[in-house]
Amino acid sequence: MVQVLPSVSGKLTADAPLAPLVWFKSGGTAEWLFEPKDLADLQGFLRDLDPATPVMALGLGSNMIVRDGGVPGVVVRLGKPFAKVTPVDALTLECGGGASGILVSSTARDNGIAGVEFLRSIPGTVGGFVRMNGGAYGGEVKDILVDCDVVLRDGSLATLQNADLGYTYRHSELPGGAIVVAARFRGRPGEPAAIQAEMDRISASREASQPLRSKTGGSTFKNPEGHKAWQLVDQAGCRGLQLGGAQVSEKHTNFLINTGEATSSDIEALGEEVRRRVKENSGVTLEWEIQRVGRQ
């Protein structure tokens, strides 16, 4: 039986290829890809959608393996209508769930708001940052988030405070199927020139240490307590290790790269092989930081 989906004002695509939308450039299709026109469109769609249909948000797809069998249900991608960033007061920004880290940090700079520079270095959107407690270069979302607006699976809109999200390292207690549509970030007073200098320092550091010109997925594994994931991977002899079209980056061993025609199965299997070797070498079990979604 073909499922009849609610009507929308935005764009609804059946069997939509996801590989072009994720950094690894691999993986299957979404059963449905929904790009809502606005908040009301998203709320109405989720309200009227069969509650049994799975829903998943997709941002820039930078920290994600979409498996080759594709993603069942509906993948929601927030586009331009959700990508605005505006100052609320001298230290607070209202950020749409689809806004990029670069836009958030540069708007903060233009308004003399410091403490948000680290978002410049995370290739993702506000929705993903809030869900994963995104962090880098000494900053984390839990340090700057005031609250966020989420559309729950039933289409209702809720505002969650920082404390409601139960933040830990790269993890939140955001309800399943919830879509982050907006967030308020608060920084501290700063001089735009000094903020720009810090953003430049972060960019240069990233450029020097990470394979930014490759098809990659960002940090593959979480740093275990008292360890650096890349060091454990290196010590286990995995630098440059290849499986099919997937390879452990020579430049930064906590990055996997698609050297050309890797399948998502290649990438995930390589990650599992790295985990096995690290466990054998150091006794430490690495945890995936990259989200792996869909059917094998």
Side-chain angles (χ1 to χ4, degrees), residues 118-270:
F118 71 94
L119 289 180
R120 168 72 182 77
S121 69
I122 311 177
T125 57
V126 166
F129 300 156
V130 170
R131 176 175 288 282
M132 293 292 293
N133 188 20
Y137 297 94
E140 283 184 306
V141 163
K142 71 174 178 58
D143 305 328
I144 59 170
L145 181 76
V146 180
D147 57 20
C148 61
D149 299 333
V150 301
V151 176
L152 299 172
R153 179 58 187 81
D154 65 2
S156 60
L157 185 66
T159 298
L160 302 177
Q161 303 300 314
N162 186 319
D164 297 333
L165 291 165
Y167 276 137
T168 52
Y169 174 60
R170 301 294 172 269
H171 177 77
S172 76
E173 300 294 336
L174 197 67
I179 311 281
V180 178
V181 290
R184 264 71 53 190
F185 292 145
R186 182 175 293 144
R188 57 178 190 273
E191 286 298 322
I195 294 167
Q196 182 62 52
E198 175 63 5
M199 284 163 62
D200 290 344
R201 184 191 72 78
I202 287 171
S203 293
S205 173
R206 246 185 110 227
E207 183 74 44
S209 65
Q210 298 176 13
L212 301 181
R213 303 281 174 267
S214 307
K215 292 184 277 193
T216 184
S219 294
T220 306
F221 304 110
K222 297 177 182 180
N223 288 321
E225 193 71 42
H227 296 278
K228 287 192 163 63
W230 76 264
Q231 264 176 341
L232 293 169
V233 174
D234 213 12
Q235 286 160 3
C238 296
R239 186 180 290 266
L241 183 67
Q242 277 193 268
L243 196 159
Q247 182 181 22
V248 176
S249 170
E250 302 262 7
K251 191 170 187 181
H252 191 312
T253 51
N254 197 25
F255 282 65
L256 303 180
I257 54 178
N258 176 354
T259 61
E261 300 304 315
T263 62
S264 290
S265 297
D266 289 342
I267 298 165
E268 189 169 359
L270 177 61

